[in-house]
Amino acid sequence: MAKSLLIISRQAPWAGPSAREALDIALAGGAFDLPLGMLFLDDGVFQLASGQQPAQLQQKNLAANLQALPMFGVEELFVASSSLQERGLAVETLSLPVQALDDATLTALIDRFDQVITL
């Protein structure tokens, strides 16, 4: 039986390659039916913000990769409520349906997975 994997994405989409790398790992794992989830934490929640214009920063748009997650079997998507609140975002305005979790629930979520990768 495959071990479960949680990918924690903590970087904004324009802060370097970490956001894209986290999505690439999730898509690859999903393609191989690896049981995995993805948690957006800290500035990583900005990846889910609607209406981004990455071309103005000479960056590639991650929206297509994000939208592909459910098609690759990555359906367990989580976001830290505190990270959203600190950055003035609301779960209703995000580009993907995610489960918003409080800090206590985040700990239980992390403990539920066999392996955790943080980018």
Side-chain angles (χ1 to χ4, degrees):
M1 181 174 175
K3 291 191 176 216
S4 61
L5 173 65
L6 178 66
I7 301 164
I8 301 176
S9 188
R10 299 182 75 164
Q11 299 297 314
W14 55 84
S18 294
R20 182 168 297 283
E21 290 170 356
L23 289 171
D24 288 345
I25 292 168
L27 292 170
F32 289 100
D33 292 327
L34 184 67
L36 62 89
M38 192 157 188
L39 169 62
F40 297 90
L41 188 64
D42 300 330
D43 284 345
V45 298
F46 285 126
Q47 294 175 46
L48 301 170
S50 298
Q52 295 187 40
Q53 298 176 351
Q56 292 182 352
L57 298 172
Q58 298 177 342
Q59 298 286 323
K60 290 188 177 184
N61 195 341
L62 297 180
N65 293 45
L66 285 166
Q67 296 301 321
L69 288 171
M71 290 184 280
F72 279 77
V74 184
E75 296 175 353
E76 286 196 282
L77 303 174
F78 308 96
V79 65
S81 296
S82 59
S83 295
L84 288 176
Q85 184 177 15
E86 290 166 3
R87 287 152 184 85
L89 297 173
V91 72
E92 300 82 24
T93 64
L94 300 179
S95 62
L96 281 176
V98 294
Q99 295 178 47
L101 306 175
D102 61 26
D103 292 342
T105 311
L106 285 175
T107 303
L109 173 73
I110 292 168
D111 289 343
R112 193 179 95 203
F113 285 86
D114 297 315
Q115 299 174 334
V116 177
I117 296 174
T118 303
L119 296 167

